[in-house]
Amino acid sequence: MNRLELKNASIAYGRQPILQAIDLQIQEGEFFSLLGRSGCGKTTLIKAVAGLLPLYAGQLLLNGQDAGNLPPEKRRASVLFQDVRLFSHLTAEDNVAFGLRMQGMGREQRRQQANAMLERVGLGGLGQRAVDTLSGGQQQRVALARAVLPGPSILLLDEPFSSLDMELRTAMRALVKSLHSHMRLTTLLVTHDVGEAMLLSNRVAIIDDGRICCCAAPRDLLGDPKAAPYLSAWKDEIRAQSNLLGE
Amino acid sequence: MRRVMLWLCAAAVLLPVALLALYAVCARWPWPAPLPQSLSLRGIQALLNADVRGTLLSSIGYSLGSALLSTLIALPAARAISFYNFAGKRAMRAVLLAPILLPSTAFFIGLQTLFTRLGIINTALGVMLAHIMVILPYPIWTLCDMMQSVGRTMEEQARTLGASPLRAFSAVSMPLLLPACVSVTALGFLISFGQYFLTLMIGGGRVKTFAMLVVPYIQSGDRMLSAAFSFAFILAAGTVYGVMDAVLRKHSGARPPTRGSLV
């Protein structure tokens, strides 16, 4: 069971509220996206779910248990940040195996699992490379492999594709979708890219002015008048992309 | 052009040292003879004296101990200054700069008075504490820069992967800070190893360091002995520095460090 629930949650920097009265439920194995303009508090929400920021008010439940006071290491919420945050003193293999090392797994076993995961993300044979000798796309794959290998309770994706070019972005989206399907990872993606959210997600919520203004499946969201002002600029693009995917 | 500059810089450092080595075995070199007229091993024999060797070793011990302790104290201090807000932070920054900003004589006299009251004057402990106070601003400010450069984002990432705060620091931040730690320890060693006046004031002549042997020879006008002791002084400092650099290179992980290397 890997279920996330936020009840009337508010998050603030000091006394300045960033997000207010956030209510959302992400079911086990669901791919959920939060859509919002830059600076609307998406990363803040990711950090709060990961335990890197405290809730100002409200409740955060993981699998029905109050997790608001749990430290990050107890939440098992892996984050893939936009700036990848690879550990530059470690090889690609050691980066991927980091979570397993923290779980106390033996060296040989975690090496095997890390290399199998690297193979799975298309980086077989690159395990011994220093991470800063890898290309941007390869670094993103290493960071994704590192995030999913420990078997997180929830995978948090903080605009992970926004710095990639279109070709890499498409490849990474496909990889994330494939890992999500195969591992049944409960996933929360925050993005300002409407097409990305619509293509990848089971449900999408839109944050505006520090609150969730609407939440629905992508196709339903297109007909939601509350989402219309936000989506109008992208509607044609979304329809075109949906048609391409035969949805 | 770059090559020529490099050679000029190397010559500027190495020629005086070579000259010092020559003076250390030169008994007579009158002007304007281009080469020494007679050689002698008197300087080297003086260096091989058991007391001198003992002083050299204990001096290396004091300096290495002071430098290591300074780095250990500087690590949490630099972290606090870099990442936390607390009452008196500005005052603390000023106090930490005091050994550099205040005239050294005034600072040393203050230390002497304080250490006399504490009963640690004329002791090795007093000398080491005094050396630590003189060294401390350098590792703190260097490590502050490095801490800010490494940031906390890597530790945050490590924590989301299951690392406790201590583990995140030791497994992620510390390896990235290690080159800087070795560099500042080496720098601290050199600062401590060269202290004469402070050691004399706090150690009162009872705690002997190698610098205290060298200075009287230089003042005595015995060129051979002062050259031999000065050369040994440079050699000892250079050797410890070199060993630290070698350790740093050997344990720098998957690739040579790009920051914080001693050379």
Side-chain angles (χ1 to χ4, degrees):
Chain A
M1 288 253 297
N2 293 312
R3 208 173 64 243
L4 171 72
E5 203 173 340
L6 283 166
K7 283 183 178 173
N8 200 25
S10 296
I11 305 161
Y13 278 114
R15 290 187 177 181
Q16 175 75 35
I18 306 293
L19 295 168
Q20 293 178 66
I22 301 290
D23 280 304
L24 64 86
Q25 278 190 346
I26 304 176
Q27 300 304 323
E28 185 186 4
E30 187 179 16
F31 200 119
F32 191 97
S33 288
L34 269 174
L35 200 51
R37 294 190 171 84
S38 295
C40 73
K42 302 186 298 289
T43 299
T44 304
L45 183 76
I46 287 271
K47 284 188 166 183
V49 173
L52 300 172
L53 276 178
L55 288 185
Y56 185 70
Q59 265 191 313
L60 186 151
L61 307 173
L62 274 173
N63 299 326
Q65 302 290 314
D66 189 354
N69 292 320
L70 280 183
E73 62 271 23
K74 303 274 187 210
R75 296 191 188 191
R76 293 176 45 240
S78 284
V79 191
L80 175 57
F81 288 102
Q82 184 184 342
D83 56 352
V84 297
R85 301 187 181 184
L86 292 177
F87 306 135
S88 60
H89 62 294
L90 300 179
T91 60
E93 178 190 291
D94 287 339
N95 264 281
V96 174
F98 189 87
L100 300 180
R101 184 175 146 207
M102 293 303 117
Q103 290 172 6
M105 185 182 282
R107 185 172 178 77
E108 197 48 46
Q109 204 180 347
R110 65 175 192 255
R111 276 192 63 181
Q112 281 174 9
Q113 291 198 24
N115 280 307
M117 181 52 76
L118 280 169
E119 195 84 45
R120 191 162 180 181
V121 298
L123 296 177
L126 297 183
Q128 292 310 311
R129 289 270 294 272
V131 285
D132 58 4
T133 64
L134 300 174
S135 68
Q138 288 172 327
Q139 289 185 359
Q140 279 283 357
R141 284 166 190 260
V142 171
L144 177 62
R146 182 181 64 178
V148 299
L149 187 59
S153 60
I154 183 164
L155 177 63
L156 305 168
L157 305 171
D158 182 12
E159 304 202 44
F161 318 126
S162 56
S163 62
L164 302 177
D165 61 41
M166 194 38 120
E167 196 179 334
L168 276 175
R169 198 181 298 184
T170 308
M172 280 299 290
R173 282 176 188 165
L175 183 59
V176 165
K177 193 69 184 166
S178 145
L179 285 170
H180 169 257
S181 305
H182 282 99
M183 300 174 76
R184 280 191 55 73
L185 285 168
T186 307
T187 305
L188 171 60
L189 166 73
V190 299
T191 181
H192 62 266
D193 185 328
V194 181
E196 191 166 277
M198 297 294 184
L199 282 170
L200 291 173
S201 317
N202 302 114
R203 281 190 303 150
V204 178
I206 295 177
I207 298 186
D208 195 23
D209 203 18
R211 294 168 189 272
I212 291 181
C213 63
C214 47
C215 175
R219 194 170 287 279
D220 299 337
L221 207 62
L222 290 172
D224 188 335
K226 283 187 207 159
Y230 198 85
L231 299 182
S232 57
W234 292 280
K235 236 172 185 174
D236 293 340
E237 183 195 342
I238 298 156
R239 283 202 174 115
Q241 290 187 30
S242 297
N243 289 338
L244 277 176
L245 287 177
E247 286 180 4
Chain B
M1 185 63 190
R2 202 175 153 198
R3 215 178 162 81
V4 173
M5 284 302 291
L6 205 66
W7 278 107
L8 279 175
C9 288
V13 174
L14 293 176
L15 270 180
V17 178
L19 206 60
L20 210 56
L22 198 60
Y23 270 127
V25 290
C26 163
R28 223 170 70 83
W29 193 352
W31 173 262
L35 288 170
Q37 300 296 293
S38 65
L39 300 176
S40 165
L41 294 177
R42 187 169 61 94
I44 294 170
Q45 281 166 348
L47 277 175
L48 294 176
N49 175 293
D51 282 350
V52 174
R53 274 186 289 141
T55 305
L56 177 60
L57 285 178
S58 62
S59 190
I60 289 174
Y62 293 144
S63 298
L64 213 49
S66 305
L68 282 169
L69 283 171
S70 300
T71 304
L72 284 177
I73 295 167
L75 262 173
R79 189 175 173 87
I81 291 171
S82 301
F83 298 140
Y84 300 104
N85 285 319
F86 51 89
K89 185 172 172 176
R90 285 170 72 94
M92 185 181 162
R93 292 167 84 108
V95 167
L96 285 169
L97 278 176
I100 299 174
L101 294 178
L102 290 175
S104 53
T105 312
F107 182 69
F108 295 169
I109 289 171
L111 269 188
Q112 192 188 35
T113 311
L114 176 69
F115 283 12
T116 304
R117 282 185 190 165
L118 293 174
I120 52 172
I121 200 79
N122 302 341
T123 64
L125 175 68
V127 169
M128 280 181 73
L129 279 177
H131 282 202
I132 287 170
M133 293 184 83
V134 173
I135 295 169
L136 213 46
Y138 301 96
I140 286 179
W141 293 114
T142 307
L143 290 176
C144 269
D145 283 347
M146 277 307 291
M147 292 257 180
Q148 281 158 10
S149 159
V150 169
R152 298 178 82 181
T153 56
M154 293 298 172
E155 282 184 35
E156 283 181 356
Q157 182 71 68
R159 293 200 65 194
T160 65
L161 292 164
S164 65
L166 192 62
R167 197 84 196 277
F169 177 74
S170 65
V172 175
S173 292
M174 199 53 210
L176 297 171
L177 292 170
L178 195 61
C181 286
V182 177
S183 292
V184 294
T185 305
L187 177 67
F189 172 81
L190 292 183
I191 293 170
S192 167
F193 199 65
Q195 290 296 326
Y196 168 72
F197 185 46
L198 175 64
T199 311
L200 191 64
M201 283 188 76
I202 304 296
R206 291 190 199 166
V207 182
K208 278 189 182 167
T209 62
F210 199 64
M212 292 177 68
L213 294 183
V214 176
V215 174
Y217 281 123
I218 293 171
Q219 287 172 338
S220 74
D222 188 330
R223 199 166 61 181
M224 180 191 275
L225 283 181
S226 57
F229 275 74
S230 300
F231 185 72
F233 188 88
I234 292 171
L235 201 66
T239 303
V240 174
Y241 197 78
V243 167
M244 285 187 182
D245 194 32
V247 169
L248 173 61
R249 284 169 188 276
K250 193 174 176 187
H251 297 286
S252 57
R255 64 197 163 81
T258 50
R259 303 188 62 160
S261 173
L262 296 183
V263 181

